């Protein structure tokens, strides 16, 4: 009997540990200590969890950083530490790092780390810390990052109401908020990404993509606003963990399929952006005076714009801008070739219903159309710090 008992004890199976390394890790950085708290939590708790979540012992992994302002509503989980009243931006909540996986047929959201309640996820040093923690937790052959929050393209710091490039953290109210500079965002990422997806408004700008060219191999962003429902999270894991590699085109199509307002989406191959920027430089060198005259002569209204509100009046279609100078057919043809080489997939609806914005001449990426008006001085000075302007000299 003692022998049999020993054998039984020796054969008892211990729970299998997580893999020590991975092939593909999807990182979702959900910066929602703002008025997107409800929709962004819904994306994770109810949409992502309905998809094809990897098994606990898979070589694929989903890791989520989430910091959500307290909110109530049909999607509140009832956990008072995280959800209380709608519009509460004073009660601190726990920023958490979560592993999402499937075990025994059930989806688990396993909190693996909590950060201090004063932790501001918009500060570059904090974002870098989170991503380094993920690298330690899940060493992987490749990482992809989906960043979900508010976005303002490449815009510089401005007086209140303050705009900056990416992310938003409310400090008590929507009138007092922190946002991240796109230059800081780029340097805060400590790993080379296979893909970078912006579930945030106006990030589909050539200036943003060019700034990220050494950070990621592929880039997905929208030149317009993005509705608060965001991307298609139900099908997200099925796309990024596809057998033949991440199906990034499918992610773009899925976005327009679920966007209640329509819009634009583009998939960019970052290793083609230098050639595109060089072509823009050649055209800018030759037609700089004409570019500025577009504004002086009031011809901006004839160019495809991507903004709905005048506070974002800086985003126009890259290709259509140069159709409004006296560029030759050959020059426009070379530009078009460079765009098609870099923007490997682009899709848009006829209308973006937010602001009834008609989308007719879209190449997939926006670009700044400079002006000498004094109201553009702050933007022009900041623009010179972007890598894109350092090459093209669009703003001298």
């Amino acid at each position: 009997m003692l022998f049999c008992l020993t054998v039984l004890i020796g054969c008892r199976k211990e729970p299998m540990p997580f893999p020590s390394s991975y092939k593909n890790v999807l990182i979702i950085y959900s910066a929602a200590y703002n008025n997107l708290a409800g929709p962004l939590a819904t994306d994770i708790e109810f949409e992502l969890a309905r998809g094809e979540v990897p098994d606990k012992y898979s070589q694929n992994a989903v890791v989520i950083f989430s910091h959500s302002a307290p909110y109530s509503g049909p999607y509140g989980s009832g956990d008072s530490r995280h959800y209380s009243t709608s519009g509460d931006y004073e009660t601190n909540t726990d920023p958490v790092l979560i592993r999402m996986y499937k075990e025994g047929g059930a989806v688990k959201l396993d909190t693996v780390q909590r950060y201090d309640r004063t932790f501001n996820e918009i500060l570059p040093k904090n974002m870098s810390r989170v991503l380094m923690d993920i690298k330690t937790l899940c060493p992987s052959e490749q990482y992809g990052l989906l960043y979900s929050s508010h976005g303002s393209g490449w815009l510089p710091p401005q007086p209140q109401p303050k705009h900056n490039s990416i992310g938003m953290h409310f400090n008590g109210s929507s009138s007092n908020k922190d946002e991240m500079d796109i230059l800081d965002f780029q340097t805060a990422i400590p790993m080379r990404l296979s893909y970078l997806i912006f579930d945030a408004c106006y990030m589909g700008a050539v200036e943003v993509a060019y700034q990220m060219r050494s950070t990621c191999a592929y880039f997905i962003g929208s030149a317009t606003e993005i509705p608060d429902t965001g991307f298609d999270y139900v099908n997200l894991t099925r796309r990024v963990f596809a057998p033949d590699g991440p199906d990034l085109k499918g992610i773009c199509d899925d976005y327009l399929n679920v966007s209640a307002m329509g819009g634009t989406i583009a998939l960019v191959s970052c290793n083609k952006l230098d050639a595109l920027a060089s072509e823009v430089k050649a055209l800018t060198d030759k037609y700089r005076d004409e570019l500025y005259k577009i504004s002086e002569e009031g011809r901006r209204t004839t160019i495809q714009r991507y903004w709905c509100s005048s506070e974002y009046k800086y985003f126009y279609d890259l290709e259509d801008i140069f159709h409004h100078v006296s560029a030759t057919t050959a020059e426009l043809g070379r530009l078009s070739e460079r765009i098609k080489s870099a923007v490997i997939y682009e899709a848009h609806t006829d209308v973006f219903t937010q602001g009834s914005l008609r989308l007719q001449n879209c190449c997939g990426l926006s670009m700044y159309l400079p002006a000498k008006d004094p109201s553009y001085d702050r933007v022009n000075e900041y623009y010179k710090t972007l890598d894109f302007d350092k090459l093209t000299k669009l703003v001298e």
Side-chain angles (χ1 to χ4, degrees):
M1 289 176 64
L2 288 173
F3 173 78
C4 292
L5 181 60
T6 302
V7 170
L8 288 172
I9 293 173
C11 292
R12 186 175 60 195
K13 292 184 178 180
E14 297 295 331
M16 288 180 61
F18 286 106
S20 58
S21 62
Y22 295 85
K23 290 185 178 180
N24 190 348
V25 172
L26 167 64
I27 302 168
I28 297 177
Y29 198 97
S30 182
Y33 200 87
N34 53 51
N35 59 340
L36 292 178
L40 267 60
T42 300
D43 289 339
I44 294 168
E45 296 178 24
F46 293 87
E47 300 300 313
L48 190 68
R50 288 170 51 203
E52 296 180 8
V53 178
D55 186 81
K56 179 178 181 179
Y57 312 115
S58 170
Q59 289 292 296
N60 300 322
V62 178
V63 185
I64 304 156
F65 172 81
S66 177
H67 191 197
S68 179
Y71 74 94
S72 63
Y75 302 115
S77 70
D79 184 342
S80 62
R81 294 173 301 168
H82 300 284
Y83 312 106
S84 57
T85 59
S86 178
D88 177 2
Y89 307 118
E90 295 180 348
T91 303
N92 289 330
T93 59
D94 294 337
V96 291
L97 201 57
I98 301 167
R99 288 283 301 270
M100 179 181 283
Y101 56 87
K102 187 170 287 186
E103 185 176 31
V107 174
K108 304 289 184 67
L109 283 89
D110 187 4
T111 299
V112 295
Q113 185 163 334
R114 293 184 186 274
Y115 298 87
D116 187 270
R117 286 194 167 196
T118 61
F119 189 89
N120 186 334
E121 73 284 355
I122 299 304
L123 298 181
K125 66 177 182 179
N126 288 346
M127 178 177 168
S128 186
R129 174 185 166 187
V130 169
L131 296 178
M132 285 299 298
D133 288 344
I134 292 172
K135 282 188 69 176
T136 301
L137 176 70
C138 296
S140 181
E141 295 178 14
Q142 65 173 330
Y143 296 93
L145 171 62
L146 184 151
Y147 190 96
S148 182
S149 190
H150 285 288
S152 300
W154 49 266
L155 290 188
Q158 298 181 46
Q160 297 290 351
K162 185 170 67 175
H163 292 303
N164 211 336
S165 307
I166 181 68
M168 191 176 290
H169 179 101
F170 287 177
N171 296 304
S173 73
S174 60
S175 62
N176 183 2
K177 54 196 176 186
D178 293 320
E179 303 174 17
M180 196 186 306
D181 190 306
I182 198 65
L183 303 178
D184 293 330
F185 181 91
Q186 189 262 326
T187 57
I189 299 175
M191 73 276 276
R192 171 74 175 176
L193 300 171
S194 296
Y195 54 89
L196 172 59
I197 305 169
F198 279 115
D199 189 357
C201 298
Y202 294 118
M203 302 308 292
V206 67
E207 296 88 351
V208 175
Y210 193 74
Q211 197 70 39
M212 298 296 142
R213 70 195 186 285
S214 62
T215 302
C216 58
Y218 295 96
F219 171 99
I220 292 177
S222 173
T224 58
E225 293 182 14
I226 286 183
D228 61 11
T229 50
F231 277 64
D232 180 354
Y233 284 79
V234 174
N235 286 301
L236 181 62
T237 50
R238 178 172 68 88
R239 297 296 192 186
V240 299
F241 299 133
D244 296 329
D247 178 10
L248 302 179
K249 177 182 176 294
I251 291 173
C252 293
D253 285 335
D254 290 342
Y255 165 66
L256 285 185
N257 287 337
V258 300
S259 174
M261 298 179 182
T264 72
I265 198 71
L267 168 61
V268 178
S269 177
C270 293
N271 65 1
K272 303 295 185 181
L273 286 169
D274 280 318
L276 172 57
S278 295
E279 194 64 42
V280 171
K281 171 179 169 52
L283 290 169
T284 300
D285 286 344
K286 187 173 180 180
Y287 299 107
R288 180 175 285 103
D289 290 343
E290 288 190 52
L291 288 171
Y292 280 94
K293 283 183 179 179
I294 289 173
S295 296
E296 295 169 5
E297 297 171 359
R299 290 188 284 130
R300 282 177 175 263
T301 57
T302 63
I303 301 175
Q304 176 66 61
R305 64 179 174 90
Y306 289 115
W307 50 271
C308 299
S309 171
S310 60
E311 61 187 319
Y312 299 103
K313 60 184 179 182
Y314 311 101
F315 305 109
Y316 290 85
D317 186 79
L318 163 61
E319 186 170 14
D320 202 38
I321 286 173
F322 288 102
H323 277 272
H324 286 72
V325 299
S326 55
T328 67
T329 301
E331 288 170 335
L332 293 174
R334 287 194 296 270
L335 175 64
S336 180
E337 289 176 6
R338 295 300 189 191
I339 291 172
K340 290 177 181 177
S341 178
V343 183
I344 55 180
Y345 184 71
E346 181 275 332
H348 60 274
T349 56
D350 293 335
V351 177
F352 182 58
T353 58
Q354 176 75 16
S356 300
L357 178 64
R358 296 190 63 81
L359 301 170
Q360 297 174 312
N361 301 308
C362 303
C363 74
L365 291 173
S366 69
M367 191 181 83
Y368 178 45
L369 179 58
K372 294 181 179 179
D373 187 290
S375 66
Y376 285 75
D377 286 351
R378 181 187 294 270
V379 171
N380 286 335
E381 283 305 307
Y382 174 81
Y383 196 83
K384 296 175 186 178
T385 68
L386 299 174
D387 284 357
F388 188 74
D389 192 66
K390 290 176 181 178
L391 176 67
T392 63
K393 302 298 181 184
L394 183 63
V395 176
E396 288 189 311

